[in-house]
Amino acid sequence: MSTPSRSPRAPRTRSAFGAAFLSLIFPGLGHAYAGAWARALGFAALPLLAIAAGAGVALRGDKFQLVAFFANPSVLNGILIANVVTFLYRVAAAVDAWNVARFLNARDASGDGRLGRARMPLNPLSIAGLAAIVLVMAGAHLAVWRYDALALSVVQCLNPDTADASCDSGDNATPNPSDVLPSGSGSGIPSNLATDTPLPTPIGSDTGVTPAPTMPPWDGTSRLNILLVGTDQRSESQATFNTDTMIVVSIDPKTKQVAMLQLPRDTAGVPVPPVAQSVWGSTYNSKINSWFAANEHLSLWPGKTATAKGFAALKSILGNLYGLQIQYYVKVDFAGFVDAVDTLGGVQVNVQIPVAEDDFPLTDQIKTRVYIPAGPQEMTGQEALVYARSRHGSNDFDRGHRQQRVIVSLRNQLDPQTVFQNLTGLVSALRKTFQTDIPVGDTQTMGQLLQLASQIDTKSIRSYVFAPPYFATDMYPLTGGRDGRVLINTSRVQGAVRQAFSLSPSLLALRDTLSGEGAQVWVQNGRGLADHAGNNAAYLDYYGMDASALTKSATSSPSHTTVTVYNGAEKHLAATIKYLQNLYNVTVVTVTDPTVKADVVIVIGRDGRDLAVPTVG
């Protein structure tokens, strides 16, 4: 009986497109699919080694040091090169896998060569598929290049001593005066608002004076002090600017305590550092916001550029006043502040005291009315700037606290997802207006700074504004009149700075407890005294509550202060209720009313105390 003959096995068909697509996912996968195992291992070995090395560093290293490492300009430049090399490597792997699959298909079709030389015809669809794969690869690597280039453009332009010509910020755009202001306001406000402070004339010369030494970098363990500066660009004919907001953020890395020390722009009589006394005398008697512009071209200060010299001078005089070493500065122009806030979708600020001003300057000739009610407000960048800068309807103490409140609100609302979604616009805003001498290229220092920043609790920040009447004397007299300057009381300022981190443990514990309960408190004026509700709200906020003063006064003037807790909030506000009952000597009343959004409403009666935030502490 004869054995039936077997039909020949059909040659294996390998998809060249499939092989190329798998190599798009990971080099070597396409070769493995085609059956070329040695070639697959060859293409996969290098990326596997790179991934293993990277994973080892990521798992064993400190996450903050890792972030700082990738913020290093040299590393970002290296990523640009590595991205191009990786793209070319992946293209080579995909094309090779495509060719290998075609070759093996042709070889099998020729009976391993027994039927003649293998022929590899070109299929237009297969070629189109390969081209599509290469384009997809290019798109992914182009995205990496784009974000890496954005990061590089920021870090290279941060420090004026290292920035190149491509970092020129250009002219600051003036917003349209028809932009919308907060409720009740008349129109938009240009970002260039402040009146230029005249520059003083030095009494001596800096010729032959040994420049001040460069401030040593932070050592990672001592008190860290960073100067936050908000600047107002002057007209095109004057290339300097006023430093209208000057806040020193002082951080104790051991206890993670933070103090914000703010000197109002109109302060005069500030002690001059010894290195500059031969030029300016023992005190600087012009407004402190002109000190930068008066010193940016003097050889007294270290730095390769006028900007660097100006900030070195500013850190020196404020450090001399506070008795601190101010290691770094961070500067944001007001126009850039508006752009950055708008890019992030605005900021929510709990307005403690209503802001009202009839003469807010639209331009040098045009003024408008500004009104911002109390309570939580969703603000655009322009609205937040108006809130932070309005000055004629209040005082420098209130203005300083408003500026600090905006900064803390922005810090609390930032999250990585929001930043990434708006990265392009944020980079554009920061690149033009953001400067610092923080050493972004120093991985160790940057890692320590990032770690410290992550450990700070913004609810426990201590706020100091060195304004009249306690820290300065109003209306510093001049020959021929007065110009709004205030004379600083140096001893009181230095005493407050020394005590900044020595609050009583009981006060700290009370703040932690009350802020932990997170009561939203509304204060209403039933006493008829100006700012009474606002002062009470500021006092309660100081002790840890989220308090704001209602714009509308109470409909009646009760004899006694009332405290009402709404909608079951008493279940989680035991410490808050106890504190308020003791403070106002009342018994809390509970009410259910869904229309009231606050947890607690306080109506100040005729017997109400005129509470005020402690001047020190």
Side-chain angles (χ1 to χ4, degrees), residues 478-561:
L478 286 178
T479 303
R482 301 170 184 243
D483 66 354
R485 289 185 289 175
V486 296
L487 181 63
I488 192 71
N489 188 317
T490 303
S491 62
R492 288 184 176 178
V493 169
Q494 293 175 345
V497 174
R498 285 194 300 269
Q499 298 176 44
F501 294 139
S502 59
L503 295 182
S504 68
S506 59
L507 174 57
L508 294 176
L510 177 62
R511 278 181 170 176
D512 289 341
T513 300
L514 296 180
S515 64
E517 290 188 342
Q520 185 178 20
V521 181
W522 289 354
V523 184
Q524 199 166 12
N525 191 353
R527 193 179 176 193
L529 298 179
D531 297 330
H532 194 65
N535 291 340
N536 275 255
Y539 184 89
L540 296 176
D541 187 81
Y542 172 82
Y543 281 94
M545 301 179 205
D546 186 4
S548 57
L550 290 184
T551 303
K552 187 177 180 181
S553 297
T555 55
S556 62
S557 180
S559 300
H560 304 289
T561 297

Side-chain angles (χ1 to χ4, degrees), residues 395-444:
N395 53 51
D396 273 334
F397 183 81
D398 174 51
R399 184 172 184 251
H401 278 290
R402 279 187 271 120
Q403 292 172 353
Q404 295 182 23
R405 182 168 287 268
V406 171
I407 292 171
V408 174
S409 296
L410 277 171
R411 163 66 175 81
N412 289 339
Q413 293 167 47
L414 278 181
D415 63 86
Q417 182 178 354
T418 301
V419 171
F420 186 77
Q421 289 174 344
N422 301 279
L423 189 60
T424 302
L426 191 59
V427 166
S428 176
L430 296 181
R431 186 174 180 270
K432 293 186 297 182
T433 59
F434 184 89
Q435 285 182 340
T436 183
D437 59 351
I438 293 176
V440 293
D442 185 336
T443 300
Q444 181 176 356

Side-chain angles (χ1 to χ4, degrees), residues 66 129 313 352 393 414 441 454-455 468 526:
L66 190 63
Q352 281 188 328
L414 278 181
S454 70
Q455 296 169 339

